[in-house]
Amino acid sequence: MDKFSERKHWRAILKLCEEVKQSDRKPDISIYNTILHAYIPLGSIKHSFKILEDMKLANVNPNLTTYHYLLRTWSQAPTSEQDPYLREQIFEMIVNDGLQPDLKIYECYIDSLLAGEECERAFEIFDSLKSKNIYPQLELYIAMIRKAISINEPRIALNYLKSLEQNLFYAPTSLYNDVLRICAYEYYADGILYCWDKLKHRGLNLDEGVCIDILYFAGSHGKPDLVVQVIEYLMDVRKLKLEKFHFSPLTRAYVNAGDIKNAMESLNIMRQAGFQVGFFDTSSTGLYSLIRKDKRTIDNAYYCLEELHKEGKIVDVSALNVVIAACSNIGYKRNVDMIRALETYKAAEKLGVQPNVETFSSILLVCLSAKRKDLADQLWKEMLELKIVPSSLAYNRMIGIICTQDDYEEAFAYLEEMKAQNLLPPRSVYERIINKCVRHGDSRAILALEEAENFEYKFPRSFYQDLEDQGFDLGLAKEIIKNQKKNFNQQKISSNVNNSDVMNEFVDIIASKANESEQK
């Protein structure tokens, strides 16, 4: 029977069982346990219980091996037959028979709990083994760790991994990699740092997705050294061509570590790697927010630029730009410091920095906050003299500056110039112009609104209500614009048409229609 069991000849075993029953020979514990062992791969828990009943009727006392096989059979049974009550009944029988559960029994019991997805109970039993002076083997530790991983419990997985080490087991490297993956996925700091440190000496085997999770964890937790190690792993071991998003966490890590100087230097590292660097990078990585805390942090940031230059390192233009932009929005009171912004801008040559369009967009932002059109005009002129082509953002801010003044006629000229450069005016440009016109009772608000709607910009209902509250007849205005569409289409960047003439014609039509209405 043992030979048939080893060879998994289950039919032969069952035939022998029948022969034993029909003979005068009384089965002993060995025969019963062999029969129970035969039922394990079949998962036949009902037949196993019948064998157990036969044992008791034959006055054969079960031993730990008996219950061991019963628990294993329960774990192999179809899900529909895995009745937790039967499993608990088996465990109670062990105690009632005066037997002391050993490691094998607990391993089977825990396996059955895991098979039934009773994870909390399995963890509880596993944690209680030490108090019973029962010490699990490597296989059970691995099973518990992998179950913790499968249910996204990185803390439990790490604790069991450390416990495994303390019990002098050599955990496979793949296990560390798997724990690291779940810790990275769940942003569990202790697990990431612990497993990464272990794997540096054993050998990493991580896909790019996990590495990206670790990069963003390291960035948000101020761990620049870890960012560098991950980047080196991706480049040297995985042989990947890195993208900009691989490098961005480096700047964020320095920012969260409070290291402004290295954060600024990292901007140049990204540029040297072949990526465009701009204000979005300094904003998304938190550098802008760090610098604008107060005047002291702005001064400190500028001194960092000087230190980098003195050390012979390249000062990235975005590092200069972010210091300028920070002067527009200092502290929680959002103060503006025009003097600091201008001094930083004037220091560009001394720092070996060539201003770009973002430099002027940044200082125009300061002018906007300070409502300084005089300086904005001068800076715009300097930008053009340097052959720098204004960007959509630069036009947006210049128009915004003009709209802070009583005389806002130039806003329309800049709007037309912007469209002539094939730059799509953002909705904010039209909002500023329309709001300015509304406050001054300027009928051109309707014309600007119609143009914005042609670009499919959506405005809240309150926006239209404000226009009507100011006396603008939206229905009348839109009807006139529709009838005069051929004339008004000429406003689309035609050097042969005078914009003010079109506007004046529009105002005259509005006025004449209003007079007709009053006469009636």
Side-chain angles (χ1 to χ4, degrees):
M1 192 174 283
D2 284 337
K3 289 180 180 180
F4 286 140
S5 179
E6 289 174 4
R7 296 173 184 176
K8 301 181 180 179
H9 292 172
W10 315 121
R11 290 183 180 276
I13 292 174
L14 295 177
K15 184 179 179 181
L16 281 174
C17 291
E18 290 300 321
E19 291 178 3
V20 170
K21 285 183 179 180
Q22 293 174 7
S23 68
D24 294 332
R25 182 179 176 183
K26 182 180 179 182
D28 58 14
I29 187 64
S30 176
I31 291 176
Y32 277 116
N33 283 346
T34 302
I35 297 171
L36 288 172
H37 185 266
Y39 281 118
I40 293 175
L42 302 176
S44 184
I45 189 66
K46 291 181 179 178
H47 288 91
S48 296
F49 263 88
K50 287 182 180 178
I51 298 298
L52 183 63
E53 291 175 3
D54 285 348
M55 288 178 66
K56 292 184 177 181
L57 289 174
N59 293 320
V60 177
N61 295 324
N63 59 15
L64 286 177
T65 301
T66 306
Y67 293 114
H68 173 209
Y69 290 162
L70 282 172
L71 286 170
R72 285 179 61 186
T73 305
W74 188 95
S75 297
Q76 294 294 321
T79 306
S80 59
E81 296 181 19
Q82 287 182 347
D83 184 353
Y85 173 76
L86 290 178
R87 183 197 59 218
E88 296 303 319
Q89 190 177 4
I90 295 169
F91 205 78
E92 286 178 8
M93 289 177 181
I94 297 172
V95 178
N96 293 337
D97 287 349
L99 300 173
Q100 184 65 40
D102 60 4
L103 177 59
K104 277 190 175 183
I105 291 294
Y106 277 111
E107 284 178 341
C108 290
Y109 184 55
I110 291 172
D111 283 342
S112 66
L113 290 169
L114 295 178
E117 296 300 323
E118 297 178 63
C119 301
E120 289 187 12
R121 176 66 175 158
F123 294 146
E124 180 184 340
I125 296 296
F126 183 81
D127 293 340
S128 70
L129 294 182
K130 187 176 180 181
S131 64
K132 297 179 174 67
N133 291 319
I134 296 175
Y135 300 95
Q137 297 301 301
L138 177 63
E139 290 74 15
L140 184 56
Y141 269 111
I142 292 176
M144 300 302 291
I145 292 170
R146 295 209 180 281
K147 176 54 70 172
I149 291 172
S150 70
I151 61 173
N152 294 338
E153 288 288 352
R155 189 185 302 275
I156 294 175
L158 179 65
N159 287 341
Y160 288 158
L161 183 60
K162 289 182 176 179
S163 178
L164 186 153
E165 292 176 335
Q166 291 169 1
N167 284 283
L168 304 179
F169 289 114
Y170 182 83
T173 301
S174 60
L175 195 62
Y176 283 94
N177 279 293
D178 291 342
V179 174
L180 177 55
R181 286 187 183 92
I182 187 60
C183 290
Y185 180 78
E186 295 290 337
Y187 269 38
Y188 179 49
D190 291 348
I192 293 173
L193 298 175
Y194 184 83
C195 292
W196 182 271
D197 186 60
K198 291 285 185 180
L199 288 169
K200 280 193 303 184
H201 309 291
R202 284 179 168 229
L204 291 156
N205 182 22
L206 304 172
D207 56 58
E208 184 183 6
V210 175
C211 290
I212 290 172
D213 286 339
I214 297 173
L215 282 173
Y216 280 85
F217 155 78
S220 61
H221 286 72
K223 306 288 184 183
D225 291 344
L226 180 55
V227 174
V228 172
Q229 290 171 27
V230 176
I231 289 175
E232 288 177 345
Y233 169 73
L234 289 172
M235 293 175 64
D236 300 339
V237 180
R238 304 296 296 187
K239 305 295 182 183
L240 294 181
K241 181 182 178 181
L242 301 190
E243 302 295 335
K244 187 176 180 178
F245 62 81
H246 291 109
F247 289 93
S248 295
L250 181 59
T251 306
R252 180 181 290 276
Y254 281 124
V255 167
N256 287 319
D259 190 343
I260 294 176
K261 181 180 175 182
N262 279 314
M264 288 177 158
E265 186 177 0
S266 69
L267 297 174
N268 184 58
I269 292 174
M270 276 197 285
R271 197 179 296 276
Q272 293 299 315
F275 304 112
Q276 291 294 322
V277 183
F279 183 74
F280 172 78
D281 301 288
T282 60
S283 179
S284 64
T285 57
L287 183 56
Y288 171 73
S289 298
L290 179 62
I291 290 174
R292 61 163 287 271
K293 282 185 177 180
D294 51 46
K295 291 182 178 180
R296 181 185 60 80
T297 53
I298 291 176
D299 289 341
N300 183 37
Y302 175 76
Y303 296 146
C304 289
L305 296 178
E306 289 189 331
E307 287 179 22
L308 288 171
H309 182 66
K310 288 177 183 177
E311 293 170 4
K313 297 176 181 177
I314 297 175
V315 176
D316 193 86
V317 65
S318 291
L320 177 81
N321 296 343
V322 71
V323 178
I324 294 173
C327 295
S328 69
N329 189 15
I330 305 173
Y332 70 94
K333 291 185 177 180
R334 301 184 179 277
N335 296 323
V336 57
D337 194 327
M338 196 78 236
I339 294 176
R340 276 182 168 80
L342 287 172
E343 287 179 347
T344 304
Y345 164 67
K346 292 175 182 177
E349 185 177 356
K350 182 178 70 173
L351 295 170
V353 178
Q354 181 65 44
N356 61 7
V357 66
E358 192 178 73
T359 308
F360 287 96
S361 295
S362 297
I363 200 162
L364 285 173
L365 177 63
V366 184
C367 292
L368 177 60
S369 298
K371 301 180 181 180
R372 292 290 303 272
K373 183 178 179 297
D374 55 332
L375 288 174
D377 287 338
Q378 181 183 337
L379 290 163
W380 192 271
K381 182 180 178 182
E382 288 184 25
M383 178 173 61
L384 298 180
E385 288 174 350
L386 291 171
K387 309 292 185 186
I388 295 175
V389 179
S391 63
S392 176
L393 183 59
Y395 275 111
N396 187 0
R397 287 174 177 170
M398 190 64 189
I399 292 171
I401 293 165
I402 294 169
C403 287
T404 64
Q405 310 296 303
D406 292 333
D407 182 3
Y408 57 93
E409 286 299 319
E410 285 183 273
F412 296 102
Y414 276 100
L415 177 60
E416 295 305 313
E417 184 181 318
M418 184 179 187
K419 292 185 289 181
Q421 298 295 330
N422 290 322
L423 296 173
L424 176 66
R427 192 184 77 168
S428 57
V429 163
Y430 287 104
E431 286 179 346
R432 283 181 171 131
I433 290 176
I434 294 169
N435 283 327
K436 190 68 177 180
C437 289
V438 168
R439 288 196 297 272
H440 285 74
D442 190 335
S443 302
R444 289 176 291 184
I446 305 297
L447 186 60
L449 178 61
E450 182 71 12
E451 185 173 293
E453 290 179 338
N454 286 339
F455 285 127
E456 298 186 355
Y457 290 136
K458 305 297 182 184
F459 296 92
R461 182 177 297 178
S462 59
F463 195 83
Y464 295 95
Q465 187 63 51
D466 289 342
L467 285 170
E468 292 184 337
D469 290 345
Q470 292 294 325
F472 294 102
D473 188 337
L474 298 181
L476 172 63
K478 290 187 177 183
E479 181 183 349
I480 295 168
I481 290 171
K482 182 178 180 180
N483 294 334
Q484 301 294 329
K485 188 173 182 181
K486 186 179 293 184
N487 292 331
F488 289 122
N489 278 344
Q490 295 178 12
Q491 68 173 308
K492 295 182 179 179
I493 328 304
S494 175
S495 58
N496 297 323
V497 179
N498 186 295
N499 183 60
S500 60
D501 290 342
V502 176
M503 293 296 184
N504 290 333
E505 181 183 357
F506 176 76
V507 174
D508 291 341
I509 293 170
I510 291 283
S512 64
K513 290 291 183 181
N515 290 333
E516 290 177 8
S517 178
E518 289 178 3
Q519 290 174 2
K520 292 179 181 179

